[in-house]
């Protein structure tokens, strides 16, 4: 295996992960500021949803537009399409299967796209408030203090 290209690849992946985390962090901050309390990355749920509201049985996935193939938003990859297109199609299929499995278990699912934050955060806030319903401070739990803005 070519060591340099492996290192480059891992540096690239680290950057991608950091970018994803930043988007997710901004959404978490927004949801928190709106008065909701949540848990993160529920490993027991299909697709490990990013933000979980157990008492409401609702989850939010925060999706990067490229990786998750946002319709009409993400430009198709121009280089190595034979590598990327099947990969991105698999991501979309996995997302759809996870959402379907969650709904079968009685969960509601919302997806927040990276571009929504960039385009109109106020509109996103309104959408999430409508989706989640009125915030209730009684739902605050011991794990929620882990959040710091
Ligand atoms: Zn998008």
């Amino acid at each position: 295996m070519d060591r340099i290209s492996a290192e480059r690849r891992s540096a690239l992946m680290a950057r991608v992960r950091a970018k994803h985390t930043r988007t997710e962090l901004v959404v978490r901050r927004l949801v928190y500021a709106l008065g909701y309390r949540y848990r993160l990355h529920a490993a027991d749920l299909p697709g490990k949803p990013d933000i979980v509201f157990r008492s409401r049985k609702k989850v939010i996935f925060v999706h990067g537009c490229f990786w998750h193939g946002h319709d009409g938003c993400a430009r198709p990859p121009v280089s190595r399409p034979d590598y990327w297109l099947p990969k991105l199609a698999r991501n979309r299929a996995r997302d759809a299967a996870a959402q379907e499995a969650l709904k079968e278990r009685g969960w509601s699912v919302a997806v927040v796209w990276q571009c929504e934050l960039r385009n109109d955060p106020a509109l996103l806030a309104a959408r999430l408030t409508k989706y989640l319903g009125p915030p209730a401070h009684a739902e605050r739990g011991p794990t929620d203090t882990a959040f710091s803005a």
Side-chain angles (χ1 to χ4, degrees):
M1 175 173 245
D2 182 355
R3 187 156 173 271
I4 289 173
S5 79
E7 277 173 7
R8 271 198 199 127
R9 191 164 49 244
S10 96
L12 177 70
M13 288 315 290
R15 236 180 12 244
V16 166
R17 261 199 307 277
K19 196 180 270 179
H20 175 67
T21 302
R22 199 155 51 234
T23 304
E24 194 186 303
L25 190 67
V26 175
V27 175
R28 273 154 52 186
R29 262 189 207 139
L30 172 65
V31 166
Y32 187 90
L34 291 171
Y36 301 102
R37 302 300 175 259
Y38 50 77
R39 285 156 202 253
L40 302 176
H41 305 290
D44 61 319
L45 294 177
K48 294 184 191 170
D50 299 307
I51 308 176
V52 181
F53 307 84
R54 286 199 184 270
S55 62
R56 298 167 192 266
K57 273 202 118 175
K58 291 179 180 180
V59 302
I60 296 174
F61 288 99
V62 181
H63 280 177
C65 296
F66 175 75
W67 291 100
H68 296 269
H70 192 193
D71 275 330
C73 168
R75 257 181 296 174
V78 282
S79 74
R80 301 179 66 204
D82 52 335
Y83 169 77
W84 283 111
L85 292 179
K87 190 179 177 65
L88 297 177
R90 277 198 301 277
N91 286 351
R92 287 174 61 127
R94 199 164 41 231
D95 290 343
Q99 290 174 28
E100 207 48 51
L102 281 162
K103 286 171 187 167
E104 275 167 22
R105 295 191 193 183
W107 288 77
S108 301
V109 178
V111 173
V112 170
W113 295 98
Q114 194 180 3
C115 63
E116 288 184 88
L117 276 175
R118 200 173 53 232
N119 294 345
D120 197 342
L123 189 68
L124 173 62
R127 180 163 86 79
L128 291 179
T129 303
K130 192 175 172 198
Y131 168 65
L132 292 170
H137 290 289
E139 76 189 69
R140 191 189 294 262
T143 58
D144 300 317
T145 52
F147 181 91
S148 60

